[in-house]
PDB file of all heavy atoms in Angstrom:
ATOM      1  N   TYR A 453     117.107 120.257 103.248  1.00 97.00           N
ATOM      2  CA  TYR A 453     117.444 120.228 101.821  1.00 97.00           C
ATOM      3  C   TYR A 453     116.921 118.943 101.173  1.00 97.00           C
ATOM      4  O   TYR A 453     116.360 118.963 100.075  1.00 97.00           O
ATOM      5  CB  TYR A 453     118.963 120.331 101.649  1.00 97.00           C
ATOM      6  CG  TYR A 453     119.415 120.400 100.204  1.00 97.00           C
ATOM      7  CD1 TYR A 453     119.358 121.594  99.498  1.00 97.00           C
ATOM      8  CD2 TYR A 453     119.882 119.265  99.544  1.00 97.00           C
ATOM      9  CE1 TYR A 453     119.766 121.663  98.171  1.00 97.00           C
ATOM     10  CE2 TYR A 453     120.290 119.320  98.221  1.00 97.00           C
ATOM     11  CZ  TYR A 453     120.232 120.523  97.535  1.00 97.00           C
ATOM     12  OH  TYR A 453     120.620 120.587  96.218  1.00 97.00           O
ATOM     13  N   LEU A 454     117.097 117.829 101.875  1.00 97.00           N
ATOM     14  CA  LEU A 454     116.625 116.546 101.329  1.00 97.00           C
ATOM     15  C   LEU A 454     115.110 116.489 101.244  1.00 97.00           C
ATOM     16  O   LEU A 454     114.558 115.881 100.314  1.00 97.00           O
ATOM     17  CB  LEU A 454     117.167 115.394 102.175  1.00 97.00           C
ATOM     18  CG  LEU A 454     118.657 115.101 101.954  1.00 97.00           C
ATOM     19  CD1 LEU A 454     119.199 114.199 103.041  1.00 97.00           C
ATOM     20  CD2 LEU A 454     118.867 114.452 100.586  1.00 97.00           C
ATOM     21  N   HIS A 455     114.413 117.100 102.210  1.00 96.00           N
ATOM     22  CA  HIS A 455     112.952 117.192 102.091  1.00 96.00           C
ATOM     23  C   HIS A 455     112.567 117.853 100.769  1.00 96.00           C
ATOM     24  O   HIS A 455     111.634 117.417 100.085  1.00 96.00           O
ATOM     25  CB  HIS A 455     112.376 117.999 103.257  1.00 96.00           C
ATOM     26  CG  HIS A 455     112.134 117.210 104.508  1.00 96.00           C
ATOM     27  ND1 HIS A 455     111.237 116.163 104.564  1.00 96.00           N
ATOM     28  CD2 HIS A 455     112.666 117.312 105.754  1.00 96.00           C
ATOM     29  CE1 HIS A 455     111.226 115.650 105.789  1.00 96.00           C
ATOM     30  NE2 HIS A 455     112.089 116.332 106.533  1.00 96.00           N
ATOM     31  N   ARG A 456     113.284 118.931 100.403  1.00 96.00           N
ATOM     32  CA  ARG A 456     113.010 119.630  99.147  1.00 96.00           C
ATOM     33  C   ARG A 456     113.335 118.728  97.953  1.00 96.00           C
ATOM     34  O   ARG A 456     112.587 118.702  96.969  1.00 96.00           O
ATOM     35  CB  ARG A 456     113.847 120.911  99.058  1.00 96.00           C
ATOM     36  CG  ARG A 456     113.439 122.028 100.011  1.00 96.00           C
ATOM     37  CD  ARG A 456     112.051 122.547  99.712  1.00 96.00           C
ATOM     38  NE  ARG A 456     111.849 122.756  98.301  1.00 96.00           N
ATOM     39  CZ  ARG A 456     110.659 122.716  97.708  1.00 96.00           C
ATOM     40  NH1 ARG A 456     109.575 122.482  98.396  1.00 96.00           N
ATOM     41  NH2 ARG A 456     110.544 122.913  96.413  1.00 96.00           N
ATOM     42  N   MET A 457     114.436 117.992  98.036  1.00 97.00           N
ATOM     43  CA  MET A 457     114.837 117.148  96.909  1.00 97.00           C
ATOM     44  C   MET A 457     113.852 116.001  96.685  1.00 97.00           C
ATOM     45  O   MET A 457     113.621 115.589  95.543  1.00 97.00           O
ATOM     46  CB  MET A 457     116.254 116.591  97.128  1.00 97.00           C
ATOM     47  CG  MET A 457     117.356 117.654  97.098  1.00 97.00           C
ATOM     48  SD  MET A 457     117.395 118.664  95.594  1.00 97.00           S
ATOM     49  CE  MET A 457     116.576 120.172  96.156  1.00 97.00           C
ATOM     50  N   VAL A 458     113.283 115.469  97.761  1.00 96.00           N
ATOM     51  CA  VAL A 458     112.269 114.417  97.598  1.00 96.00           C
ATOM     52  C   VAL A 458     111.092 114.954  96.779  1.00 96.00           C
ATOM     53  O   VAL A 458     110.515 114.247  95.950  1.00 96.00           O
ATOM     54  CB  VAL A 458     111.786 113.896  98.964  1.00 96.00           C
ATOM     55  CG1 VAL A 458     110.625 112.918  98.791  1.00 96.00           C
ATOM     56  CG2 VAL A 458     112.922 113.202  99.708  1.00 96.00           C
ATOM     57  N   MET A 459     110.755 116.216  96.990  1.00 95.00           N
ATOM     58  CA  MET A 459     109.642 116.819  96.271  1.00 95.00           C
ATOM     59  C   MET A 459     109.993 117.117  94.812  1.00 95.00           C
ATOM     60  O   MET A 459     109.136 117.077  93.947  1.00 95.00           O
ATOM     61  CB  MET A 459     109.204 118.114  96.962  1.00 95.00           C
ATOM     62  CG  MET A 459     108.681 117.912  98.370  1.00 95.00           C
ATOM     63  SD  MET A 459     108.174 119.436  99.175  1.00 95.00           S
ATOM     64  CE  MET A 459     106.706 119.846  98.219  1.00 95.00           C
ATOM     65  N   CYS A 460     111.265 117.407  94.543  1.00 95.00           N
ATOM     66  CA  CYS A 460     111.667 117.870  93.207  1.00 95.00           C
ATOM     67  C   CYS A 460     112.223 116.768  92.310  1.00 95.00           C
ATOM     68  O   CYS A 460     112.198 116.902  91.081  1.00 95.00           O
ATOM     69  CB  CYS A 460     112.714 118.977  93.328  1.00 95.00           C
ATOM     70  SG  CYS A 460     112.121 120.491  94.099  1.00 95.00           S
ATOM     71  N   LEU A 461     112.768 115.713  92.898  1.00 94.00           N
ATOM     72  CA  LEU A 461     113.434 114.675  92.121  1.00 94.00           C
ATOM     73  C   LEU A 461     112.620 113.387  92.100  1.00 94.00           C
ATOM     74  O   LEU A 461     111.801 113.148  92.982  1.00 94.00           O
ATOM     75  CB  LEU A 461     114.821 114.386  92.698  1.00 94.00           C
ATOM     76  CG  LEU A 461     115.831 115.542  92.689  1.00 94.00           C
ATOM     77  CD1 LEU A 461     117.088 115.150  93.448  1.00 94.00           C
ATOM     78  CD2 LEU A 461     116.174 115.939  91.268  1.00 94.00           C
ATOM     79  N   GLU A 462     112.889 112.572  91.102  1.00 91.00           N
ATOM     80  CA  GLU A 462     112.269 111.249  91.026  1.00 91.00           C
ATOM     81  C   GLU A 462     113.328 110.212  91.410  1.00 91.00           C
ATOM     82  O   GLU A 462     113.952 110.325  92.436  1.00 91.00           O
ATOM     83  CB  GLU A 462     111.698 111.018  89.619  1.00 91.00           C
ATOM     84  CG  GLU A 462     110.573 111.982  89.253  1.00 91.00           C
ATOM     85  CD  GLU A 462     109.371 111.930  90.193  1.00 91.00           C
ATOM     86  OE1 GLU A 462     109.078 110.830  90.703  1.00 91.00           O
ATOM     87  OE2 GLU A 462     108.746 112.976  90.417  1.00 91.00           O
ATOM     88  N   GLU A 463     113.544 109.246  90.531  1.00 92.00           N
ATOM     89  CA  GLU A 463     114.488 108.176  90.862  1.00 92.00           C
ATOM     90  C   GLU A 463     115.928 108.682  90.986  1.00 92.00           C
ATOM     91  O   GLU A 463     116.797 107.974  91.494  1.00 92.00           O
ATOM     92  CB  GLU A 463     114.416 107.051  89.818  1.00 92.00           C
ATOM     93  CG  GLU A 463     114.910 107.433  88.432  1.00 92.00           C
ATOM     94  CD  GLU A 463     113.872 108.199  87.603  1.00 92.00           C
ATOM     95  OE1 GLU A 463     112.743 108.382  88.090  1.00 92.00           O
ATOM     96  OE2 GLU A 463     114.203 108.589  86.472  1.00 92.00           O
ATOM     97  N   GLU A 464     116.199 109.915  90.503  1.00 94.00           N
ATOM     98  CA  GLU A 464     117.563 110.456  90.584  1.00 94.00           C
ATOM     99  C   GLU A 464     118.057 110.583  92.025  1.00 94.00           C
ATOM    100  O   GLU A 464     119.266 110.589  92.273  1.00 94.00           O
ATOM    101  CB  GLU A 464     117.634 111.846  89.916  1.00 94.00           C
ATOM    102  CG  GLU A 464     117.187 111.878  88.471  1.00 94.00           C
ATOM    103  CD  GLU A 464     115.693 112.167  88.327  1.00 94.00           C
ATOM    104  OE1 GLU A 464     115.006 112.317  89.367  1.00 94.00           O
ATOM    105  OE2 GLU A 464     115.216 112.243  87.178  1.00 94.00           O
ATOM    106  N   LEU A 465     117.138 110.683  92.978  1.00 95.00           N
ATOM    107  CA  LEU A 465     117.536 110.865  94.375  1.00 95.00           C
ATOM    108  C   LEU A 465     117.952 109.559  95.050  1.00 95.00           C
ATOM    109  O   LEU A 465     118.736 109.568  96.010  1.00 95.00           O
ATOM    110  CB  LEU A 465     116.386 111.507  95.165  1.00 95.00           C
ATOM    111  CG  LEU A 465     116.633 111.805  96.642  1.00 95.00           C
ATOM    112  CD1 LEU A 465     117.768 112.830  96.795  1.00 95.00           C
ATOM    113  CD2 LEU A 465     115.374 112.310  97.320  1.00 95.00           C
ATOM    114  N   LEU A 466     117.461 108.426  94.564  1.00 93.00           N
ATOM    115  CA  LEU A 466     117.630 107.154  95.263  1.00 93.00           C
ATOM    116  C   LEU A 466     119.085 106.794  95.579  1.00 93.00           C
ATOM    117  O   LEU A 466     119.366 106.326  96.693  1.00 93.00           O
ATOM    118  CB  LEU A 466     116.969 106.029  94.451  1.00 93.00           C
ATOM    119  CG  LEU A 466     115.438 106.067  94.419  1.00 93.00           C
ATOM    120  CD1 LEU A 466     114.897 105.061  93.419  1.00 93.00           C
ATOM    121  CD2 LEU A 466     114.879 105.799  95.813  1.00 93.00           C
ATOM    122  N   PRO A 467     120.041 107.003  94.665  1.00 93.00           N
ATOM    123  CA  PRO A 467     121.431 106.631  95.007  1.00 93.00           C
ATOM    124  C   PRO A 467     122.007 107.423  96.183  1.00 93.00           C
ATOM    125  O   PRO A 467     122.985 106.985  96.798  1.00 93.00           O
ATOM    126  CB  PRO A 467     122.209 106.944  93.713  1.00 93.00           C
ATOM    127  CG  PRO A 467     121.181 106.956  92.627  1.00 93.00           C
ATOM    128  CD  PRO A 467     119.919 107.458  93.271  1.00 93.00           C
ATOM    129  N   TYR A 468     121.418 108.560  96.489  1.00 94.00           N
ATOM    130  CA  TYR A 468     121.963 109.415  97.552  1.00 94.00           C
ATOM    131  C   TYR A 468     121.367 109.103  98.928  1.00 94.00           C
ATOM    132  O   TYR A 468     121.890 109.565  99.943  1.00 94.00           O
ATOM    133  CB  TYR A 468     121.710 110.888  97.221  1.00 94.00           C
ATOM    134  CG  TYR A 468     122.297 111.327  95.895  1.00 94.00           C
ATOM    135  CD1 TYR A 468     121.543 111.288  94.729  1.00 94.00           C
ATOM    136  CD2 TYR A 468     123.616 111.758  95.814  1.00 94.00           C
ATOM    137  CE1 TYR A 468     122.079 111.681  93.511  1.00 94.00           C
ATOM    138  CE2 TYR A 468     124.163 112.161  94.606  1.00 94.00           C
ATOM    139  CZ  TYR A 468     123.386 112.111  93.450  1.00 94.00           C
ATOM    140  OH  TYR A 468     123.917 112.504  92.251  1.00 94.00           O
ATOM    141  N   ILE A 469     120.279 108.348  98.962  1.00 94.00           N
ATOM    142  CA  ILE A 469     119.576 108.107 100.228  1.00 94.00           C
ATOM    143  C   ILE A 469     120.449 107.372 101.256  1.00 94.00           C
ATOM    144  O   ILE A 469     120.527 107.793 102.421  1.00 94.00           O
ATOM    145  CB  ILE A 469     118.261 107.334  99.986  1.00 94.00           C
ATOM    146  CG1 ILE A 469     117.284 108.181  99.152  1.00 94.00           C
ATOM    147  CG2 ILE A 469     117.612 106.951 101.316  1.00 94.00           C
ATOM    148  CD1 ILE A 469     116.830 109.452  99.815  1.00 94.00           C
ATOM    149  N   PRO A 470     121.163 106.290 100.882  1.00 92.00           N
ATOM    150  CA  PRO A 470     121.970 105.589 101.904  1.00 92.00           C
ATOM    151  C   PRO A 470     123.047 106.475 102.526  1.00 92.00           C
ATOM    152  O   PRO A 470     123.209 106.513 103.743  1.00 92.00           O
ATOM    153  CB  PRO A 470     122.581 104.414 101.131  1.00 92.00           C
ATOM    154  CG  PRO A 470     121.634 104.179  99.990  1.00 92.00           C
ATOM    155  CD  PRO A 470     121.141 105.540  99.612  1.00 92.00           C
ATOM    156  N   VAL A 471     123.803 107.190 101.692  1.00 93.00           N
ATOM    157  CA  VAL A 471     124.891 108.005 102.234  1.00 93.00           C
ATOM    158  C   VAL A 471     124.342 109.188 103.021  1.00 93.00           C
ATOM    159  O   VAL A 471     124.916 109.589 104.047  1.00 93.00           O
ATOM    160  CB  VAL A 471     125.809 108.462 101.068  1.00 93.00           C
ATOM    161  CG1 VAL A 471     125.528 109.846 100.574  1.00 93.00           C
ATOM    162  CG2 VAL A 471     127.241 108.372 101.431  1.00 93.00           C
TER     163      VAL A 471
END
Side-chain angles (χ1 to χ4, degrees):
Y453 184 80
L454 285 166
H455 276 297
R456 290 296 315 154
M457 293 305 101
V458 174
M459 297 180 69
C460 295
L461 298 173
E462 296 301 327
E463 67 279 357
E464 303 90 359
L465 181 63
L466 290 171
Y468 302 93
I469 296 297
V471 98

